[in-house]
Amino acid sequence: MTEDRSTVRSRQLGDALRAAMDQAGFNGKRTARILGWSESRISRFLTGKLAITELEISALAAVFGVTGAERDRLLRLIREPATAGWELAEHRRTLADHQCVAVRVTAFDALTVPVLVQTADYARSVLARTVTVQPGEVEAHVAGRMVWGQRVLGCAHPPQCTFFVSEAALRLPVGGSQVMCEQSHHLLRVGVRPHVAVRVIPVSAGAHAGLAGSFCLMEFADFGPVVSVEQDTAGYFLDEPPAVSVHEKIVSSLTAVALGQNESNQLIGRLAVELYGPTRRGGTALPANRLSAQNA
């Protein structure tokens, strides 16, 4: 047992152990007494601040009645190296957990609207063309994305969120005109929340730092920043300072080339009208500069 830097894996393991302890009706004091450990040792395991062995996980799992697939998952969290990729479902579960406790979340998707601000129809259209999602699984994935977005953006103390959206993504007719029109209006509705900023990167910016790929940078009050990146079959969490620093520089570069909030709203509204048909009230097309107010 050694003191160790808190990592994504150790925190996720600690959260899972705490949930199992609560479900079993135990607390730290009782658990420590049963196992003959100190209460502070239990506390540091649950906060991910103390390295834990497979034997110690097995002992805790036995006390809390954790068996089968969940026990295997806990052991896998410690067996896999910190640099190993996460299976996508586990990665997204862990990502959502971290986003909910972050103080700031910055997301950029190189090709589509960021997941947390997608509508159900837009997400459905994207997932239907994703080769790693089976046709029969699309609706479950869509529902998961909607719950995910609501959980992060609608919680009691949401993080300050900045979503960088490329103009190219707004012009890509995912799902057709009606889907894109509603997705554009959804961005305007979300963007008026005090803790959310939607910033558009115009095509006039040309090549920019975001072309390196999609990512989500999360900052926390109690531990260092973490970057999440995904590939087709695995997700990765980067928390080593050099990797985080690179993504912080990318954020700075995107901030410099992205339109301001008001300009972004105007462009989103204009594209919604010009590309996907005017939003009408009483048969009259609304000017692009009024779409933001209408959808607040």
Side-chain angles (χ1 to χ4, degrees), residues 6 28 36 58 62 104 139 222 286:
S6 171
S58 297
R104 183 173 290 104
E139 289 307 316
D222 298 325
L286 291 177

Side-chain angles (χ1 to χ4, degrees), residues 160-164 190-191 193-199 261:
Q160 289 293 320
C161 296
T162 298
F163 299 105
F164 288 109
V190 172
R193 300 183 187 184
H195 60 281
V196 176
V198 177
R199 304 278 304 276
Q261 184 74 67

Side-chain angles (χ1 to χ4, degrees), residues 78-140:
I78 190 175
R79 287 171 179 165
E80 293 177 344
T83 56
W86 297 58
E87 189 273 332
L88 281 178
E90 182 68 24
H91 176 263
R92 288 166 183 167
R93 173 179 176 176
T94 304
L95 175 58
D97 288 344
H98 276 65
Q99 288 173 333
C100 285
V101 298
V103 296
R104 183 173 290 104
V105 170
T106 304
F108 169 75
D109 194 304
L111 300 175
T112 63
V113 171
V115 170
L116 288 178
V117 288
Q118 291 180 2
T119 65
D121 285 337
Y122 183 93
R124 185 176 294 109
S125 299
V126 171
L127 291 165
R129 299 295 185 270
T130 302
V131 297
T132 54
V133 177
Q134 298 301 313
E137 300 173 345
V138 169
E139 289 307 316

Side-chain angles (χ1 to χ4, degrees), residues 173-246:
V174 174
S177 295
Q178 183 174 346
V179 171
M180 287 303 300
C181 189
E182 175 55 30
Q183 176 61 69
S184 298
H185 295 165
H186 180 65
L187 290 175
L188 295 173
R189 290 191 292 267
V190 172
V192 300
R193 300 183 187 184
H195 60 281
V196 176
V198 177
R199 304 278 304 276
V200 176
I201 301 172
V203 294
S204 60
H208 54 79
L211 297 179
S214 307
F215 68 93
C216 177
L217 171 65
M218 297 165 284
E219 300 170 68
F220 307 90
D222 298 325
F223 45 88
V226 176
V227 175
S228 166
V229 296
E230 283 191 4
Q231 296 178 347
D232 288 340
T233 58
Y236 298 84
F237 289 106
L238 313 175
D239 55 9
E240 293 294 335
V244 171
S245 178
V246 167

